[in-house]
Amino acid sequence: MTRDGAEWARLDALLEAALDLPQAERRQWLDRACAGDPDTRAALERLLKHAEADTGPIQPGAALESSAHAPSSSGDGALAPGDRLGRYEIVSLLGSGGMGHVYRAVDPSLGREVAIKAVSGALHGDAASLRRFEREARVLAALNHPGIATIYGFEQLGGVPYLVLELVAGETLGDRLAKGRLPVAEAVAIARQVAEALEEAHRQGVVHRDLKPSNVMLTPEGRVKLLDFGLAKSPEPGISDQARTLTGVIVGTAPYMSPEQVRAEVVDERADVWAFGCVSYEMLTGRRAFAASQVPDILASVLRDEPDWAALPSETPPALRRLLERCLRKVPRERLQAMGDARLELSELEAASPNAARDDARMRRRVVAVVGLLIVALTVRRPSPPPRVLQLSLDLPPQLALDERFAAPFALSPDGARLALVAVEDGRSRLFVREIDEITPRRVGGVDSAWQPFFSPDGRSIAYFDDGKLFRVPVEGGRPVLITAVTVNPRGASWAPDGTIVLAPSQTSGLVRVADGGGAVRPLTELTASRGEETHRWPQVLPDGRHVLFTVVEQDASFDDGELQVASLATGERRTVLKGAAWGRWVESGHLLFARHGRLHAVPFDLERLQAGGAPVVVVDGVRYDVRNGGTHADLAGDAIVYQPARPSLPERHIVGLDAAGAISRFTERPRVFRAPRASPDGSRLAVVIGTGAATDLWLVDPGSTLTRVTSGLGPLLPLWRPDGRALTVSARAGDRWRLLDVSPDGGPPRVRHESAHRLYANGWTPDGRRLVFQQYHPDHGWDLWSVAEGGRPEPLLATPSHEARAAVSRDGHWIAYESDELDGLVEIYVRSFPDGERKLRLTTSGARLPRWGAPGELFYWRTDGPGSLQKVRWRAEGDRFVVLEDAPYWPESESTRAARSILVVMNDASYDVDAAGRVVMLEPVAPRDAAPLARPVVVFGWAQELRRRMASTP
Amino acid sequence: MGQVTQLLMARDAGDREAFDRLVPLVYDELRRIARRQLRRRSPQQTLDSSGLVHEAWLKLAGAQRLRVNDHPHFLAVAATAMRQVLIDRARGRLRVKRGAGAATASLDGVGGAGDATDPEWLLDVDRALDALGRREPRLARVFECRFFAGLGEDETATALGLSLRSVQRDWMRARAWLRAALEGEAGALS
């Protein structure tokens, strides 16, 4: 930094003032304003010149123009004939587009001509994306079919990835159609070959996604070859649609885009079926199925209109008419499902014409025979019932490791005969099925990225999530079928006997339902805003098929304080079953199983009346359980259970102080259920909340680790010190009201400062202790910021439909730092002048939470992208401006800060504070999640019967 | 565009049909933004604007990111999407250019006499704009709307909730600082 923020702000203020004047007066004014300071005057002269000059490349819209202009300009890195690219010699430029250039080139070593396509965009400097793209290219290269232009390879030359492709001679179908429509027989022959090529691609799990006449090559020999599978999508997950966009590979072509593509939804092979329908229609009629002069009108037509069927020539066979009609149905589920069906139909039409080949009919008979064999195999295979109580340890072959990163990595089939599991192989989270009586699991389909698998009620399909999408795949393997793409960050799902799938689409939502064949996703339960519910998750459809059991947790509460509820699938009506529990599961012994503190407990449950009764009993003393998401590594089916033993995950924590060098010191000798530690203004002690549920109180931690209780049975949350250190403001629930209360650290009755029907938390005090900033929940807005002066009425500070929360008031009282998602839905830190709010600065741009002011001139926040980091901002007020001097990780990557960073990452965005000595105060779990090696999962048969016996013998 | 605001509200209420009707309107709006800059160009170049618009659309619609409240907000978000698409493209072009072994300009010597068709220059502008945004976010937003999305002064004012006069003045301020930064004037922005 060569010119510091103050200097910048000063010059900018002068510039701004000068620009406010008419141009003729600006210089004269500056002469006066900078009298005696020739350097400033000179700097401003330059700035003013820049500001006033209307020439040069910085012009309104210039960036847009450049983009349209640049790719076709010859100066843009295009290679010239004779240039060499690795071992290839460039012959000519075939075309250019958003993705780069395509060249005709010669491979001298083989003496053959090739096409070379440069790939660019999102792969820029991103090794991981590059590897994924390379894998995708390999999948494409494996497409070996005479109807598909071959991809010879994927090479990197000088760090730039290139696809080396078969060079196909001939004219495109687009060229051909420019001369008019095709005779029906010729159209059928071409369509049949296109269908055949697509069928083969789909069989390999590749979707073309940009089929159009200009991508269909007609060779002089009368063959059809599909081009541009470089735009295709393989089942390889990981390359998000965003990334594909960045590489320029899903710029579909409007008239051939399926309705789901227009909506930017997830696309599967049925989009190719649609495009195939469009292309076939165009061959027969000589015009586009969905035509308009402007792209938006074309898109509207795709979504809304039927093609003009009357335009089909009168000699079109009725079967072909019906085929096209089925290809062009708007809803993918109602569309022709497989290209193979189209190919069969077209082959028959060809066979009906005199000069047809007979091969296809033979092929059809063979396919029927193979399908018949599969059905026989499915019905013959029946697992034998397992013995009464049997425990198996789930061993995996050495090259496989159970994917233990998230809850529910395995699922039992309803008959208990097989286990679906997610295991890491070659670095991918793949889906496997293990027959219980066989050791080696079998990989299912091409599923390469799966989590949270679960079985269909008939046990013949497995559903799983992949990157926010829900798929199903037959147990025996096969191509996965997309059910829906609505999920963001799923938290459990369950499949009802009537084909309804209930799922938790994100970590902050109610449950939704969707049919297992896809279609509309409908809400089932809604978060009750007035209660501050944050999540409904881990659903299980109960055996009556009419109710769903699930976990409810309120904001800022732990899963150990969660609640099990039951909702009616018919009405969505719900009722509470049990409190202080998460991850509820019905057991056929007549019990409800649930997780708490990393143990599985059971309690009798009446399925008719949907009521739990009796005292819970610990039945598995230690199961793998993640307290941050309330999920377990366990599943139940019939009489069997599968779970991963682990030490109980105790809610006890240490309070630790961490300095900038990463040195850790403990404030407490003994771990307890601590929450929300806050350092007193003078740094002499800490306030902390201890306890769970109703047994929660505010305590003080003094030097020497003495604990003193301040409240009794109040259930306070998130304490905040008043600047004079003589009182703490907490929020607490009283019936269905929420209160902000002042409590004295020396005891005495709490004083109600403010009361509301909605959840609220104290955020910050002005330095004089006269005005309190707090956040309050609004049923429509989410969190809003308010302030209230001593003896005054609360006033909204920032009450917009965006999320605004966790405001901290700076030590000088002139600024608040707070979270907001006002710009694009991503929560970022903003700084605003206080109380006027006139100056506002967006401090972060890639996701951040929890601002805390440190020592004067310091501001901390938690950066949420990547693994997360605690950032420290150095700043200075210059006039009425907030100037950032530096923004860097508080603990830079180094060995000495490793432990500190790992505590932070383990605790994720748990609350932290910065004390007067500049130390960060945080909570440290007693047993870090990855401290001990994990036990192998076990499967226990006869478990439910065993549970019944045990519960019967429990007094 | 009151219609868009209405449809946005209906979309938020879960009305799928409203979303379907929104698609062409939003698309049209993006296209209008892109086309206005390009209409004086040849038809071939205008064609490329459809790719640009589509990429911007996917950025907006993908991953449920079409979270906008009203038309002004949409314009502001669209401007950001346009900037991202254009910068992605510039990165891609730069990569092709470097990989193809063409002469690469050194990053420290770009100079102010850049050209919007030069991806390196555009990336320099993007970086300088980030730095400006840290100093004064409003200047960066105004610049983004005008330079990257080609919004008019009045539209920029609507998008950002500013007065016309502020937009005119901020555009000049931003331009001054960016030019100073691009010409390497003693750490005009850092």
Side-chain angles (χ1 to χ4, degrees), chain B residues 1 12 15 42 44 46 56 74 76-77 80 83 87-88 111 159-160 184:
Chain B
M1 259 327 246
D12 284 341
D15 183 344
S42 74
Q44 197 186 350
T46 313
F74 164 76
V77 174
T80 307
R83 175 180 173 188
I87 290 304
D88 288 341
L160 301 178

Side-chain angles (χ1 to χ4, degrees), chain A residues 264-457:
Chain A
E265 291 172 351
V266 171
V267 163
D268 60 20
E269 59 267 32
R270 291 173 295 190
D272 285 351
V273 171
W274 173 279
F276 170 79
C278 292
V279 170
S280 302
Y281 179 95
E282 200 169 327
M283 285 196 284
L284 290 166
T285 63
R287 50 166 138 150
R288 286 176 174 167
F290 303 96
S293 58
Q294 303 291 346
V295 173
D297 301 328
I298 296 172
L299 297 177
S301 175
V302 166
L303 293 175
R304 190 188 56 213
D305 298 339
E306 278 290 301
D308 177 9
W309 297 114
L312 289 173
S314 55
E315 66 271 27
T316 311
L320 183 54
R321 224 174 251 274
R322 198 174 59 243
L323 177 67
L324 294 190
E325 187 271 318
R326 289 167 68 204
C327 288
L328 291 175
R329 289 185 187 160
K330 311 284 184 205
V331 180
R333 205 157 46 97
E334 292 168 4
R335 205 175 292 156
L336 188 81
Q337 297 291 297
M339 281 315 306
D341 295 341
R343 195 253 309 144
L344 278 172
E345 191 73 66
L346 291 161
S347 300
E348 281 177 9
L349 287 168
E350 261 187 310
S353 69
N355 55 351
R358 296 278 175 259
D359 290 354
D360 289 314
R362 272 208 305 280
M363 170 66 94
R364 189 166 70 247
R365 279 194 299 277
R366 247 192 344 256
V367 167
V368 169
V370 168
V371 169
L373 271 177
L374 278 177
I375 290 167
V376 171
L378 280 173
T379 45
V380 164
R381 184 177 184 89
R382 291 244 110 204
S384 53
R388 227 165 57 96
V389 177
L390 173 69
Q391 177 162 334
L392 296 172
S393 161
L394 182 64
D395 292 309
L396 292 177
Q399 74 274 17
L400 291 184
L402 189 68
D403 187 347
E404 291 168 327
R405 287 171 297 186
F406 198 78
F410 37 58
L412 268 175
S413 64
D415 61 2
R418 51 178 72 96
L419 193 64
L421 58 97
V422 179
V424 181
E425 185 187 44
D426 299 336
R428 315 284 326 208
S429 295
R430 291 178 167 152
L431 184 62
F432 291 83
V433 165
R434 182 184 141 155
E435 306 295 330
I436 290 300
D437 51 4
E438 289 172 11
I439 300 291
T440 309
R442 161 171 64 76
R443 209 178 141 196
V444 178
V447 181
D448 242 7
S449 161
W451 58 328
Q452 302 178 48
F454 57 102
F455 277 92
S456 62

Side-chain angles (χ1 to χ4, degrees), chain B residues 28-100:
Chain B
D28 199 29
E29 183 72 8
L30 286 170
R31 194 182 55 100
R32 193 179 62 78
I33 291 171
R35 280 276 174 95
R36 194 177 31 200
Q37 286 306 317
L38 305 171
R39 63 181 159 218
R40 293 181 305 273
R41 303 267 158 193
S42 74
Q44 197 186 350
Q45 285 157 352
T46 313
L47 258 187
D48 191 56
S49 80
S50 61
L52 180 75
V53 166
H54 194 67
E55 284 178 51
W57 157 249
L58 289 172
K59 268 197 190 299
L60 282 169
Q64 304 178 328
R65 287 208 33 204
L66 194 59
R67 291 182 49 172
V68 294
N69 306 324
D70 48 25
H71 184 230
H73 188 206
F74 164 76
L75 284 175
V77 174
T80 307
M82 281 288 183
R83 175 180 173 188
Q84 288 169 0
V85 169
L86 292 171
I87 290 304
D88 288 341
R89 287 186 161 204
R91 288 207 177 102
R93 296 210 309 273
L94 187 61
R95 212 177 155 76
V96 169
K97 180 170 159 176
R98 288 200 171 146

